[in-house]
Amino acid sequence: MSVLRRAKTWEISESEEETDTDTKSDLNHDESSERATTVSTGLKKDPSSQHKRKTSSATRSESSYTSALPPPRPGRSGTPSPARKRRTKEEIEADREKARERKEERERQRAARAQEKEERRQEQQRRREAAENLKSLRPENCLKCLTVCIDPALLQQDGSDILLDTLAAFEWRFSIESQQLPHCITWTRDLPQQGDDGMGSVEEEQVLLVLGLTDFMEMVVSVKTVLVYLQLCKNISLVFLDGWQDVTNHVCAVTKALSKRPFKLLTERAELPFCVDGSWASGVRVERDGSELIQVWSKQIQQLNRVSPAVASTVTAAYPSPQLLLQAYQSLGSEEERKGLLAGLIVKSGGKERRIGPEISARVYRCFTAQNPQLVLD
């Protein structure tokens, strides 16, 4: 009995050169082969021959694909570059203008940095000069700039060598030259950074006149008064000394006091010396908006003797500014009413109440209305 078996293995060529007609003829040939009277033999394919055909087909495919691509041009890449667009004259001018603006901006920044650097250098120089000037005004440094000028007539007296020996021991500068007043001692102080214009030194106001007892009595008799006239009208202080040792000590004391004067004048140059900054000095700091001025007004009243903070607060509460107090004084008709304007104000302190009183009221009135700067308030 014959058995027909259909082949389970199909052979399909991978070559791209086969046509549909060849494929159909192969299929018909396979079907006719299957109807053959072979019983036990099936269709078998040779693996070696199939591999060879696949390899040859793949080789032919690659060669055909490779031959289809054109060879690359020498010196260029495989991808063609797009055509470059030429710039117009306006675009070139615009680029040049932008470059010029960037250059000018860099120049301006460089000039600004140079100016700022120069300003910082000048500021540092000013601070350095100010620090040096302040340092020169300190008493220990200012003492080196003082020169004690002695009239030669004083050296003719016995014991005057004590003065010269003491000045030499302290290493203080002194000179022996004639003075406008005989038998006197003056002081000169060198000024920093003023040597070029001929103002290298300044003469101090203090003049020390050394007189013997006979000369002093003749001077007192000539003005016909003892000591009050000289002190109050001529601003002359009289000191009675016994011997040249006391005179030397007095000269040294005056010299030290003169060395401290420039620094004190520098610290007292503020417009309101009583309004200092810092709680240690009981001062009040005034802000730019004018706040805390009433506290300054209160501190100013407290400068008077026996005026407590409670009394000052009472006065400032009734008259918040000095101008208002002056206007109140002007509105009154008599002198007695002005003096007693503040006498009836009530002061509250420690749970008790009391009045300011006529004494403090009159003192405040004299302080703010007196025309004599030498007037003694108490």
Side-chain angles (χ1 to χ4, degrees), residues 35-60:
R35 294 187 180 89
T37 56
T38 307
V39 178
S40 60
T41 60
L43 297 176
K44 295 183 180 181
K45 307 296 179 181
D46 189 1
S48 61
S49 61
Q50 185 178 4
H51 176 70
K52 290 179 181 180
R53 286 193 297 272
K54 289 182 178 181
T55 304
S56 60
S57 301
T59 303
R60 287 194 299 270

Side-chain angles (χ1 to χ4, degrees), residues 311 314-319 325 340-348 353-357 361:
V311 174
T314 303
V315 176
T316 56
Y319 303 96
L325 180 58
L341 176 63
L342 306 177
L345 297 179
I346 303 300
V347 180
K348 297 181 180 180
E353 295 183 357
R354 62 182 180 87
R355 298 181 182 275
I356 290 182
S361 178

Side-chain angles (χ1 to χ4, degrees), residues 70 92 105 138 144 219 240 253 258 267 272-273 282 310 315 326 345 357:
I92 295 176
E105 181 64 22
R138 294 186 177 278
K144 302 176 182 178
M219 183 183 67
F240 295 95
L258 290 176
T267 56
L272 300 177
S282 299
V315 176
L326 293 177
L345 297 179

Side-chain angles (χ1 to χ4, degrees), residues 315-340:
V315 176
T316 56
Y319 303 96
S321 68
Q323 186 66 26
L324 295 177
L325 180 58
L326 293 177
Q327 292 176 0
Y329 284 142
Q330 295 174 0
S331 63
L332 299 177
S334 63
E335 188 77 10
E336 295 298 328
E337 292 178 349
R338 298 189 186 99
K339 291 182 179 180

